[in-house]
Amino acid sequence: MTHDLRTPPLRRARKAGLAAFVGTTIEWYDFYIYATAASLVFGTVFFPETGDRLTGIAASFATYAVGFFARPLGGIVFGHVGDRVGRKTALVVTLTMMGAATFLVGCLPGYGQIGAWAPILLVLLRFVQGLAVGGEWGGAVLMAVEHAPPEKKTFYGSFAQAGNPAGALLATGLFSLLSLGGTEFLNDWGWRIPFFASALLIVVGLIVRSTVEESPVFAEAAESEAGVPLVYALRTNWKPILLGVCVLPVALGGYYLVTTFATAYATDPSVGVSESLVLNALSIAAFVELVLTFGTAWLGDRFGRVRVVVLGLVAVAVLAAPQFLVFSTKDSLLIITVFVVMRLAMTATYAPIAAVLSQMFRPRARYTSISLSYQVAGALFGGLSPLVSTLLFQATGSIWPVIGLLIGMCVLSLVCVLLAPQHTDEVTT
């Protein structure tokens, strides 16, 4: 007999949502302080012999990409843990790993102190970060969505998604404050402060996550779980996994184009926007995104999550050119406004995606399946988009190839999200 799962109490759903928000905020804070430092500092600190600024940034973005390529492996490893042992166990381990790796990045000597060992150790720690995030996102999303009532899955799934702008706000906001000390202070040792601060945040995250009960859907599905989740996922879910990868180019890769790459492009001497202006614009945009994430997800439950994502993708394509061309105006208010409007559009593509992606798969091997989709897309689109965009700009001297890349991502995402299946949480007894 097939029946709907018992609707979990709202109190459990709220607790799971809060834990997802706190945990992903910390994970993304750690990820974004690395991204921001890669844009502004790491080219000088770890790659001073590359010869010019853009080449140094490209080298630092290459180490940035390493974290994304480690993410599918993290999704496989912790997807197995989450599907067989439990979502909660996987989340505690990944949060601890991320905190330790981030703190150690702040301790690394630069190239001037230990030579080639500096970038080598940086790459190793970035790999650990990637493993942690690879296992984190799927578990946080599933804990929030699987605890939620059926009619509120998009809303509660957005708690995990809200961790992204919250982490970005903390990261860019702290770097914005540190930039007031000047470039020399930031390059010398100021950039290390955000990495050290991660240790305190990790303690808070572990305390919050330890109070959350295991997912009720996992408890039901675990009874019928057999074999290796990865094998089951690849044999049974390979079509929706591939479709899920192609749903995410804008939510992942496009996001980094308008944040990480935009920071490097705007502050390039040929463009000449100040670091402080870009960081302030990113901070304001992240705050607006954080506030509106929950409202956007509510619209997804009210009018359909796929419709909201489609509207967001169209808006991102329309705003692709203004996002980058606005920097030539040097108008602070206009630059901040365009950043904010673009992030509003990005919110529509990102806030509902937790529910969209999780409901593409039935409960068995869901952690592994959703993690594979998200993290393979992260490696392809999130990891490579800043590097490819930097190389395109360096090779052509024009921003238009980058704008074309972003619009192409929108088209691919739009087609695939319209084809995505959406299941309900049911089990057979």
Side-chain angles (χ1 to χ4, degrees), residues 353-394:
I353 211 68
V356 169
L357 207 61
S358 66
Q359 299 310 117
M360 287 177 65
F361 307 99
R362 298 195 186 277
R364 186 175 177 185
R366 179 182 278 173
Y367 198 138
T368 299
S369 300
I370 189 177
S371 294
L372 277 175
S373 288
Y374 193 86
Q375 305 311 341
V376 169
L380 292 176
F381 303 112
L384 291 180
S385 57
L387 175 60
V388 170
S389 299
T390 301
L391 295 176
L392 283 173
F393 176 62
Q394 186 179 35

Side-chain angles (χ1 to χ4, degrees), residues 8 23 48 79-80 90 102 128 172 189 209 231 262 287 292 371 378:
H80 182 90
T102 303
V128 175
T172 56
W189 65 273
R209 279 198 167 163
V231 174
F287 176 76
L292 294 181
S371 294

